[in-house]
Amino acid sequence: MANVTFRNVRKSFGEFVALEELDLHINEGEFVALLGPSGCGKSTTLRMLAGLEFPTSGEIMIGDRVVNDLAPGKRDIAMVFQSYALYPHMSVGENIGYPLKKRGIKGRERDDAVQKAAELLQLDALLDRKPKQLSGGQQQRVALGRALVRDPQVFLLDEPLSNLDAKLRSYMRAELIELHRRLGKTMVYVTHDQLEAMTMASRIAVMHGGRVQQFDTPDAIYNRPANRFVAGFIGTPPMNQVEGTVEGGHFITGGHKVPIDRSAYADALRDGPVVLGVRPEAITIGKGEGLPATVRLAENTGHETIVTLELPDRTRISARVEAARRLDVGHSVALTFDPDAIHLFEASATGARLNLDAKSASVVSMRSK
Ligand SMILES: Nc1ncnc2c1ncn2[C@@H]1O[C@H](COP(=O)(O)OP(=O)(O)OP(=O)(O)O)[C@@H](O)[C@H]1O
Ligand SMILES: [Mg+2]
């Protein structure tokens, strides 16, 4: 069994705590993305799983085995790095076959394994070339081939596409999804690119400040963010956050009332300061009734327009409207929010979500510091 478990893992580098308390359980065959801003501990998590770094405390398990003290070579994993780390003097075939050579696997057995990996990655016509005669995407595929040839239980990938241009990245995303589908192996994929995480992973662990903020499906991460950090990290532009108060079951900001669906909060809706979250696509810009705002910027991207609006308290929020819509900068408008798409968060910095969700049981690591 190749499921992966981090149990209460802490990692410090001297005085510096990189990971406070990491609890993750990844199922066999799952494609999990570790997503978060630079420095949040993604690579450290992956490197500990690979055995290149050791936890300060806690347990890491692959299958039923605690691997804390197991050498990297004994973990039955393969890792692909951002820098492909190919050997420049070796051909594509020799690069792919290298992990087998190191293990003493020779002749026909090695050639067959290399051929199989090369076919899977459409590299069979390039086996005699040297890495410098390949494009970036082809080099990345050789690095993948070198991981594949070992037939590991778990694949670890650390930002494998970040050196590629946008077009090639989107092509390789589709290739990796297809590869995962065919192999059915556990994959742990580190990225700071939310598009990669959202499109490829069956579940995403959103990390920040040395903790997992939420570990859930892309749909839940987008539609039911566990706290203000996740809400503000996912989405382009991300979810808007408007400060206000709850008074008698209504949300009030700058003296204006915003209708909310009270049944979505039950006891959590106590009077006091809160933050309202609303995605750019859940805002309607009109005239008359609604939250007053001023149009500050309208950016037409071709298929839609992103409008920057300023509320009376100077808060700026974004709305998404159809590209053909004309909005004049400086004009006053009235905003209404889709009540089913409103989120309320605690006003604290950690800002836990207050909405009641059928799936809230999957929300993890929400403890305030
Ligand atoms: N060997 C080390 N010694 C000291 N500090 C380290 C070491 N390795 C990592 N760190 C620190 O631990 C934190 C987490 O690093 P890590 O490389 O895991 O981040 P990351 O999420 O992968 O970031 P990025 O997206 O930039 O790759 C960072 O603040 C980093 O500076
Ligand atoms: Mg990293």
Side-chain angles (χ1 to χ4, degrees):
M1 285 288 281
N3 44 41
V4 169
T5 306
F6 287 85
R7 193 176 291 152
N8 215 347
V9 170
R10 186 181 170 84
K11 175 66 183 175
S12 335
F13 294 102
E15 296 277 284
F16 178 75
V17 181
L19 292 160
E20 294 256 1
E21 173 193 273
L22 186 69
D23 283 292
L24 274 181
H25 181 80
I26 298 167
N27 296 316
E28 174 161 28
E30 220 182 339
F31 193 136
V32 164
L34 308 181
L35 174 69
S38 185
C40 72
K42 305 179 294 293
S43 294
T44 302
T45 302
L46 207 65
R47 290 169 57 79
M48 287 193 295
L49 187 52
L52 303 172
E53 206 69 78
F54 297 95
T56 307
S57 60
E59 267 182 358
I60 301 175
M61 298 176 75
I62 300 177
D64 324 321
R65 275 199 305 182
V66 176
V67 297
N68 284 31
D69 299 319
L70 205 62
K74 299 221 164 109
R75 294 189 182 200
D76 205 5
I77 46 142
M79 188 152 167
V80 179
F81 299 90
Q82 174 179 354
S83 62
Y84 321 127
L86 301 177
Y87 299 107
H89 58 286
M90 289 186 196
S91 69
V92 166
E94 286 165 339
N95 265 288
I96 295 177
Y98 187 71
L100 300 182
K101 186 175 176 188
K102 238 174 44 182
R103 284 200 216 159
I105 298 167
K106 299 193 182 92
R108 188 66 189 268
E109 191 185 350
R110 190 164 83 206
D111 292 346
D112 285 352
V114 169
Q115 187 63 32
K116 201 172 142 209
E119 277 170 24
L120 202 59
L121 294 163
Q122 292 162 35
L123 289 168
D124 33 335
L126 307 173
L127 284 172
D128 296 327
R129 291 210 197 162
K130 293 279 164 60
K132 68 169 192 296
Q133 298 169 303
L134 301 176
S135 72
Q138 289 165 338
Q139 289 184 39
Q140 186 53 277
R141 269 187 275 158
V142 177
L144 277 169
R146 201 170 47 187
L148 273 180
V149 78
R150 300 170 52 181
D151 192 27
Q153 289 295 320
V154 183
F155 285 92
L156 309 180
L157 303 109
D158 194 347
E159 312 230 15
L161 308 185
S162 58
N163 285 344
L164 307 179
D165 65 41
K167 199 170 163 194
L168 202 49
R169 240 187 352 244
S170 104
Y171 175 76
M172 285 302 292
R173 271 207 311 271
E175 294 238 311
L176 279 171
I177 294 169
E178 171 67 14
L179 193 65
H180 175 253
R181 200 181 56 75
R182 279 207 247 172
L183 298 174
K185 293 287 174 73
T186 311
M187 293 196 178
V188 188
Y189 187 100
V190 162
T191 181
H192 61 253
D193 180 341
Q194 51 169 297
L195 187 66
E196 283 181 13
M198 294 294 281
T199 54
M200 296 167 74
S202 52
R203 285 194 295 165
I204 303 172
V206 181
M207 299 173 68
H208 171 61
R211 285 169 190 267
V212 174
Q213 303 289 322
Q214 186 170 6
F215 183 35
D216 217 325
T217 60
D219 174 70
I221 297 275
Y222 192 83
N223 292 305
R224 296 184 293 279
N227 58 36
R228 288 179 64 186
F229 176 79
V230 178
F233 189 70
I234 303 288
T236 320
M239 187 183 283
N240 298 294
Q241 301 192 16
V242 181
E243 290 178 12
T245 51
V246 170
E247 290 168 32
H250 297 284
F251 177 80
I252 314 283
T253 185
H256 293 270
K257 201 186 271 185
V258 175
I260 52 177
D261 173 11
R262 284 184 241 179
S263 68
Y265 306 95
D267 291 348
L269 202 62
R270 291 187 213 111
D271 283 7
V274 291
V275 170
L276 178 145
V278 62
R279 293 226 176 260
E281 57 270 29
I283 298 177
T284 304
I285 303 175
K287 293 250 175 258
E289 284 289 292
L291 192 61
T294 308
V295 177
R296 286 292 174 221
L297 187 66
E299 296 165 285
N300 186 337
T301 65
H303 71 288
E304 64 181 12
T305 294
I306 304 292
V307 187
T308 304
L309 300 144
E310 190 174 298
L311 301 181
D313 70 355
R314 312 296 288 275
T315 302
R316 289 195 169 204
I317 64 174
S318 313
R320 181 171 265 139
V321 299
E322 49 189 286
R325 179 94 183 262
R326 287 284 156 262
L327 284 159
D328 294 320
V329 170
H331 277 208
S332 296
V333 292
L335 309 179
T336 46
F337 302 156
D338 173 1
D340 292 333
I342 285 177
H343 310 252
L344 291 182
F345 300 96
E346 285 176 2
S348 64
T350 36
R353 176 182 162 83
L354 298 170
N355 304 51
L356 296 172
D357 290 317
K359 274 198 164 179
S360 61
S362 59
V363 171
V364 294
S365 250
M366 290 291 310
R367 246 172 295 156
S368 307
K369 277 189 210 166

